[in-house]
Amino acid sequence: MSRKGVEIVPDSAERIFTGGPVLTMDDAAPEAEALAVRGGEIIAVGRAADVLALRGPSTQVVDLDGRALLPGFIEAHGHPSTMALTLAPPAIDVRPFTVPTGAEVYERIRATVAAAPGKPVGAYGIDLLLQRDLALPTRQRLDELCPDAPLVVVSNSGHAAYGNTAALRAAGITADTLDPPGARFVRDAAGEPTGEVRETAALLALFEALGDFRDDAQVSAALDWAFAEHARVGITTATDMATDPRTVPALRDAAESPGAVLRIRSYLIGTPELAAEPERRFPGHAPASEMFGISGMKLWADGTPWQGSVATSFPFKDNDATLRIGMDHCAHGPMNYSPDQLADLVAAFAGQGFPLACHVHGDVTVEAVLDAYAKAGAGDPEMLRAMRPRLEHCGAVTADQYRRAADMGATVSLFMDHIRWWGDVLADDLFGPEVADRWMSARSAWDAGHRVSLHNDGVCSPTDPLSSVATAITRRSHPSGRIHGTYQCLTIDEALRAVTANPAWQLHLEDEIGMLRMGMRADLVVLSRDPRTVPAEHFREAVAVSATYLSGQRTWPR
């Protein structure tokens, strides 16, 4: 047996990793000295002498030189398709992580309009709470910036967008346009649309103003860019947690193309129209050997604290910050659906066999989601448990609610970097220090028995699992360095499991990815040092991704 004239021993490994700790996330054997790969799978993991016995003439031996080998990271709640369409070059990225001031935001938009007169313009990522000098993007202000073509500016949260007059006209949004289920067009006292829209269905309607601004080749290139951004930070599998059914073919093609660097699992946008299709059925969970699969349906029970659109038992503050985000002296935010509407959607999709993932922040909203899940599983609670219904983000979920969710078989994924980027905003502007201390209460979730996963929510914060890990073990806010709620910290071992084994279980792939065990896919990440040896307060700057492998093939650096 040979390849390009090199003899290959049939039972030999293609690649062996040795010379550093192998952290398996497998309770039966949590650490090893070496690991061997062949045919995209792990064929041995254990003592270096035993694994090196599989070396053949063509085996590549990777000397870790003290670096650590872990399972490839799994982005439990990502948005690769949204990243491709909003951030891939030459998109206008105006998120606060890249454009810190409001003045720079409008400079970028103005320059883009001037460079392409008469063409639709979209800008992604404004944040009214982090870009403090940002003038409110009113319809009139956007008309001044771009009087002759549609201009759409999207909030970094993805729960609000702002359009000029030309955009409203091109999208067909008028005073007579009805609010979509679970969303709304903001209107003035006379009932005319102000240009601001809230929640997914309304955002999608406004996006129609931009038209098909990319052809198939551009979409393919943008998806390749987004996939590469995931590989760069050690991610081997990502959910696309809100896939527009119209983009499924392009996303599937990108994931299944030769040399693709990212495995995709999609949750479709759970619209009432899809819920009403009597013949629609869940296709079943694809094995990890398949690069694309449908994993469930995504619903939004509420919005985001950054727009004042989460339903909480405790009040928002009444101050300049909450007025700025549109609270208008209102102490409590709304849900997107009534409890009955939400329960009907959950029941419809559960009846079609689809696992559910529900976006939820407010503790009032969480109760409605848990009631909806319980109602859907009332006749067959084991069916519901087998689906592993998910709660996404979980900002204000209480310890009692985590226990209730665990009892019914639901599972949780936390947007941990809320604390890193907005911890001070939560404490100083929106709710107060006590709420900030228990926001994203990972310790409570873990102690309730959940297999907690951590995520970055795609475009809403920089995609970086190591950042989620660092925040989970410190709860340190940027840039102040303040710490919010140390009693909610995870240990380093728990946090690493929350970006590997736990999200694999949530995706029903726990027997194939997320751990380093013989027979599993060889999805691997090499870290610059053993993460267990770094003081928590220095983790963020001390640990980096050195290499990423998907099914045994290196995807970063290429």
Side-chain angles (χ1 to χ4, degrees), residues 87-103:
L87 299 181
I92 312 177
D93 179 358
V94 292
R95 295 178 300 165
F97 325 113
T98 54
V99 182
T101 70

Side-chain angles (χ1 to χ4, degrees), residues 3 10 62 113-114 132 135 214 221 289 348 370 420 503 514 529 534 543:
R3 180 189 301 151
V62 179
V113 170
R132 292 301 181 115
R214 292 187 175 180
S289 57
L370 293 178
R420 180 183 181 196
R529 58 188 297 181
V534 180
V543 181

Side-chain angles (χ1 to χ4, degrees), residues 341-388:
Q341 289 173 326
L342 182 64
D344 288 345
L345 278 175
V346 168
F349 287 124
Q352 295 173 351
F354 281 93
L356 270 296
C358 201
H359 168 116
V360 58
H361 274 302
D363 57 334
V364 171
T365 314
V366 173
E367 208 62 33
V369 173
L370 293 178
D371 287 347
Y373 283 167
K375 184 176 180 181
D380 190 351
E382 288 309 309
M383 173 274 295
L384 182 73
R385 184 175 294 274
M387 284 184 173
R388 304 174 188 173

Side-chain angles (χ1 to χ4, degrees), residues 37-71:
V37 174
R38 184 177 64 237
E41 293 186 353
I42 298 168
I43 61 169
V45 56
R47 293 193 312 138
D50 296 335
V51 175
L52 285 168
L54 297 171
R55 179 170 49 186
S58 63
T59 300
Q60 178 193 15
V61 178
V62 179
D63 182 3
L64 294 170
D65 193 24
R67 296 172 298 170
L69 186 70
L70 282 77

